[in-house]
Amino acid sequence: MKANNNHLLRIIRIVLATFFFVAVTLLFLGAWGVNLWFGWVAKVQFLPALMALDFGILVVLIILTLLFGRLYCSVICPLGVMQDIFGWLGRKSKKNRYSYSLEKRVLRYTILGVFVVCLIVGFAPVTTLLAPYSAYGRIVNSLFRPLYDLLNNLIASIESNYDSYLFSEAEIWMRSVTTFVIALLTLIIPGVLAWRHGRTYCNTICPVGTILSFFARFSLLRVQVDESKCNKCSLCEKNCKAAAIDSKNGKVDYSRCVVCGDCLTKCKHGALSYKPLIHSAEKAKSTHSEVPVSPERRAVLTGAAMLIGTAAMAQAKIKVDGGLAALEDKQTPRRQTPIVPPGALSARHMQRHCTACQLCVSACPNNVLRPSSDPLRFMQPEMSFERGYCRPECTHCSQVCPTAAIKPIRPEDKPLIHVGHAVWIADNCIPVRNGDTCGACARHCPVEAIQMVEYTTREGRMVLVPAVDSERCIGCGKCEFLCPARPFSAIYVEGNEAHHIE
């Protein structure tokens, strides 16, 4: 009966983990409509909730850990679930591959200390590399998103032959070579560690795992060893991916146990159970007063509590918006000040709150956002307009950001937010270079911040060129995107250090 109970608990855990993993993956792939129903799975991640100062979610996650142990790491965290997948593949090639090891406490807390200091001072390169949720986001956005878009385009091409246009073709392009390389390394390094040694990354490097391990030491429900039934076969130890079970001494390191349930189903003698910890004196006192509880009922109630605890705060919004076709052969201008999205308030606010998870980059329908290569804002989103412009009615990035680095804004408020201002470069302008008339920037400016005025070239020709009213310009980049000059636009956008609202 106990074996059935243990199997049921493990199945419940796997179902919940699959749900969170698939939902987060689809969010980063930009699957249509996913954010409407499942956008909250990004907001219940530990570090984004911490960066957003969402104390409600943090309290729920801590209570969840105090009740069940590090369930967060094996159910909610996508990087943790990804490691479980690699570990499962590793066990297919070699069974009973794990063994107990001592906790690397000095290394764990040193990395956590460095992480906290960098988080406080706003040193983005370290925090973005170590944040587990953000690391998984970069993997999906950089490595799997192109494959997803390729499949989408194939379906769109096939259905167009039947006069159906449910799917529209997506542009496939590499937003950042640096981010691609880091995403590839983030997939390979934890993947290889998980393949060979299980949860080494989670229990040695991950700062979120270290924080939750402190609370897990005091959890109510724990994996416990009944020494009267244990025959020291060590199957539990050899199948513990967290290297947390010392079968020789009948002990479990609860700070590293991620409550995956693998050990429970491997024990053939019923010596392992997942239940509230009862100290020996209390256990002896209550031996004759215990009321038997159905194992099936306990498993169902525990699973229900897991589900309720992890999904307590579910809400999100989404809108569907299209993009414009990109103009080819444009090169990025050298901007003195980066342009951060409307809702980000300022470049400093973005730097201090963003974990570079790339969710806003995935959500941008106009190909405006891409990861920064600036060391101080490493892989954090910035705006550039070679492939599109920031449409005044689009608020996708502000609706999906889980850390409040980009605060939610309404479509009617967005045209009032000034994120930058346009700058005209005479030497790149077509009327100045060859005398042809143009005026594309003035015709398409959504706030009428550009007027065509007379200008005398060095050759003495009188031509009409753009004059920018910096007070009216909102920095949407439409002029830069539609400028026909190549390879550099004759008009480009410089960012404002701090956004201002009319």
Side-chain angles (χ1 to χ4, degrees), residues 88-108:
W88 176 76
L89 293 173
R91 290 197 301 273
K92 288 292 183 182
S93 61
K94 181 182 178 182
K95 296 182 179 180
N96 304 326
R97 63 188 303 136
Y98 306 130
S99 62
Y100 174 74
S101 64
L102 293 173
E103 177 189 7
K104 309 295 189 296
R105 184 170 295 187
V106 174
L107 178 59
R108 293 180 75 184

Short mmCIF file of all heavy atoms in Angstrom, two decimals, residues 88-108:
data_model
loop_
_atom_site.label_atom_id
_atom_site.label_comp_id
_atom_site.label_asym_id
_atom_site.label_seq_id
_atom_site.Cartn_x
_atom_site.Cartn_y
_atom_site.Cartn_z
N TRP A 88 17.37 11.99 -16.32
CA TRP A 88 16.57 10.83 -16.73
C TRP A 88 17.20 10.14 -17.93
O TRP A 88 17.29 8.91 -18.00
CB TRP A 88 15.16 11.28 -17.05
CG TRP A 88 14.27 10.19 -17.57
CD1 TRP A 88 13.68 9.19 -16.85
CD2 TRP A 88 13.88 9.97 -18.93
NE1 TRP A 88 12.94 8.37 -17.67
CE2 TRP A 88 13.05 8.83 -18.96
CE3 TRP A 88 14.14 10.64 -20.12
CZ2 TRP A 88 12.50 8.35 -20.14
CZ3 TRP A 88 13.59 10.16 -21.30
CH2 TRP A 88 12.78 9.03 -21.30
N LEU A 89 17.70 10.94 -18.89
CA LEU A 89 18.37 10.36 -20.06
C LEU A 89 19.66 9.67 -19.64
O LEU A 89 20.02 8.62 -20.18
CB LEU A 89 18.68 11.46 -21.08
CG LEU A 89 17.46 12.11 -21.76
CD1 LEU A 89 17.89 13.30 -22.62
CD2 LEU A 89 16.71 11.10 -22.62
N GLY A 90 20.36 10.27 -18.64
CA GLY A 90 21.59 9.64 -18.15
C GLY A 90 21.32 8.31 -17.48
O GLY A 90 22.10 7.35 -17.63
N ARG A 91 20.21 8.22 -16.74
CA ARG A 91 19.89 6.95 -16.07
C ARG A 91 19.47 5.88 -17.07
O ARG A 91 19.55 4.69 -16.77
CB ARG A 91 18.78 7.18 -15.05
CG ARG A 91 19.21 7.99 -13.85
CD ARG A 91 18.24 7.83 -12.68
NE ARG A 91 16.90 8.27 -13.03
CZ ARG A 91 16.47 9.52 -12.94
NH1 ARG A 91 17.29 10.47 -12.51
NH2 ARG A 91 15.22 9.84 -13.24
N LYS A 92 19.03 6.31 -18.25
CA LYS A 92 18.69 5.33 -19.28
C LYS A 92 19.94 4.60 -19.76
O LYS A 92 19.90 3.42 -20.13
CB LYS A 92 18.01 6.01 -20.47
CG LYS A 92 16.59 6.48 -20.18
CD LYS A 92 15.65 5.31 -20.00
CE LYS A 92 14.22 5.75 -19.79
NZ LYS A 92 13.31 4.61 -19.57
N SER A 93 21.07 5.31 -19.79
CA SER A 93 22.31 4.69 -20.26
C SER A 93 23.04 3.94 -19.15
O SER A 93 23.76 2.99 -19.40
CB SER A 93 23.24 5.77 -20.84
OG SER A 93 23.58 6.72 -19.85
N LYS A 94 22.84 4.39 -17.89
CA LYS A 94 23.49 3.70 -16.77
C LYS A 94 22.61 3.85 -15.53
O LYS A 94 22.45 4.96 -15.01
CB LYS A 94 24.88 4.28 -16.51
CG LYS A 94 25.61 3.59 -15.37
CD LYS A 94 26.96 4.24 -15.12
CE LYS A 94 27.68 3.58 -13.93
NZ LYS A 94 28.97 4.23 -13.66
N LYS A 95 22.07 2.78 -15.04
CA LYS A 95 21.21 2.81 -13.87
C LYS A 95 22.03 2.88 -12.59
O LYS A 95 23.21 2.51 -12.57
CB LYS A 95 20.30 1.57 -13.86
CG LYS A 95 19.32 1.52 -15.03
CD LYS A 95 18.42 0.30 -14.94
CE LYS A 95 17.43 0.28 -16.10
NZ LYS A 95 16.53 -0.90 -16.04
N ASN A 96 21.39 3.34 -11.53
CA ASN A 96 22.02 3.41 -10.21
C ASN A 96 23.37 4.11 -10.26
O ASN A 96 24.37 3.63 -9.74
CB ASN A 96 22.19 2.01 -9.63
CG ASN A 96 20.87 1.24 -9.55
OD1 ASN A 96 19.82 1.84 -9.32
ND2 ASN A 96 20.92 -0.06 -9.75
N ARG A 97 23.38 5.29 -10.85
CA ARG A 97 24.64 5.96 -11.16
C ARG A 97 25.08 6.97 -10.09
O ARG A 97 26.19 7.47 -10.13
CB ARG A 97 24.54 6.66 -12.50
CG ARG A 97 23.52 7.76 -12.57
CD ARG A 97 23.33 8.29 -13.99
NE ARG A 97 24.55 8.78 -14.57
CZ ARG A 97 24.95 8.53 -15.80
NH1 ARG A 97 24.21 7.77 -16.58
NH2 ARG A 97 26.07 9.02 -16.27
N TYR A 98 24.21 7.32 -9.14
CA TYR A 98 24.54 8.38 -8.19
C TYR A 98 25.10 7.82 -6.89
O TYR A 98 25.00 6.62 -6.60
CB TYR A 98 23.30 9.23 -7.89
CG TYR A 98 22.64 9.79 -9.12
CD1 TYR A 98 21.26 9.65 -9.32
CD2 TYR A 98 23.37 10.46 -10.09
CE1 TYR A 98 20.65 10.17 -10.44
CE2 TYR A 98 22.77 10.99 -11.21
CZ TYR A 98 21.40 10.83 -11.39
OH TYR A 98 20.80 11.33 -12.50
N SER A 99 25.70 8.69 -6.09
CA SER A 99 26.21 8.31 -4.77
C SER A 99 26.19 9.53 -3.86
O SER A 99 26.17 10.67 -4.32
CB SER A 99 27.63 7.75 -4.88
OG SER A 99 28.51 8.74 -5.40
N TYR A 100 26.20 9.27 -2.56
CA TYR A 100 26.14 10.36 -1.58
C TYR A 100 27.45 11.14 -1.58
O TYR A 100 28.53 10.58 -1.73
CB TYR A 100 25.88 9.77 -0.19
CG TYR A 100 25.95 10.80 0.91
CD1 TYR A 100 24.93 11.73 1.10
CD2 TYR A 100 27.05 10.84 1.76
CE1 TYR A 100 24.99 12.67 2.11
CE2 TYR A 100 27.12 11.78 2.78
CZ TYR A 100 26.10 12.70 2.94
OH TYR A 100 26.17 13.63 3.94
N SER A 101 27.34 12.45 -1.42
CA SER A 101 28.52 13.30 -1.28
C SER A 101 28.22 14.37 -0.25
O SER A 101 27.06 14.75 -0.04
CB SER A 101 28.90 13.93 -2.63
OG SER A 101 27.87 14.80 -3.07
N LEU A 102 29.26 14.87 0.39
CA LEU A 102 29.09 15.92 1.38
C LEU A 102 28.71 17.24 0.71
O LEU A 102 29.09 17.51 -0.43
CB LEU A 102 30.38 16.09 2.19
CG LEU A 102 30.78 14.91 3.09
CD1 LEU A 102 32.14 15.16 3.70
CD2 LEU A 102 29.73 14.69 4.18
N GLU A 103 27.97 18.04 1.43
CA GLU A 103 27.54 19.35 0.92
C GLU A 103 28.75 20.26 0.76
O GLU A 103 29.60 20.36 1.64
CB GLU A 103 26.54 19.97 1.89
CG GLU A 103 26.09 21.37 1.49
CD GLU A 103 25.28 22.05 2.58
OE1 GLU A 103 25.19 21.48 3.68
OE2 GLU A 103 24.76 23.14 2.32
N LYS A 104 28.84 20.96 -0.40
CA LYS A 104 29.89 21.94 -0.64
C LYS A 104 29.42 23.30 -0.09
O LYS A 104 29.18 24.24 -0.83
CB LYS A 104 30.19 22.03 -2.14
CG LYS A 104 30.46 20.70 -2.82
CD LYS A 104 31.71 20.06 -2.30
CE LYS A 104 32.09 18.83 -3.13
NZ LYS A 104 31.11 17.74 -3.07
N ARG A 105 29.32 23.36 1.23
CA ARG A 105 28.68 24.51 1.86
C ARG A 105 29.46 25.81 1.62
O ARG A 105 28.86 26.86 1.35
CB ARG A 105 28.51 24.26 3.36
CG ARG A 105 27.77 25.38 4.08
CD ARG A 105 27.41 24.99 5.50
NE ARG A 105 26.47 23.90 5.53
CZ ARG A 105 25.89 23.47 6.66
NH1 ARG A 105 26.18 24.04 7.81
NH2 ARG A 105 25.02 22.46 6.61
N VAL A 106 30.78 25.76 1.74
CA VAL A 106 31.58 26.98 1.56
C VAL A 106 31.41 27.53 0.16
O VAL A 106 31.19 28.74 -0.04
CB VAL A 106 33.08 26.69 1.84
CG1 VAL A 106 33.93 27.92 1.50
CG2 VAL A 106 33.28 26.30 3.29
N LEU A 107 31.47 26.65 -0.84
CA LEU A 107 31.30 27.09 -2.23
C LEU A 107 29.90 27.64 -2.46
O LEU A 107 29.74 28.69 -3.10
CB LEU A 107 31.58 25.91 -3.17
CG LEU A 107 31.40 26.18 -4.67
CD1 LEU A 107 32.33 27.31 -5.11
CD2 LEU A 107 31.66 24.92 -5.48
N ARG A 108 28.89 26.95 -1.92
CA ARG A 108 27.50 27.38 -2.13
C ARG A 108 27.28 28.79 -1.58
O ARG A 108 26.73 29.66 -2.26
CB ARG A 108 26.53 26.42 -1.44
CG ARG A 108 26.47 25.05 -2.02
CD ARG A 108 25.49 24.18 -1.27
NE ARG A 108 24.11 24.52 -1.58
CZ ARG A 108 23.06 23.96 -1.00
NH1 ARG A 108 23.23 23.07 -0.05
NH2 ARG A 108 21.84 24.31 -1.35
#
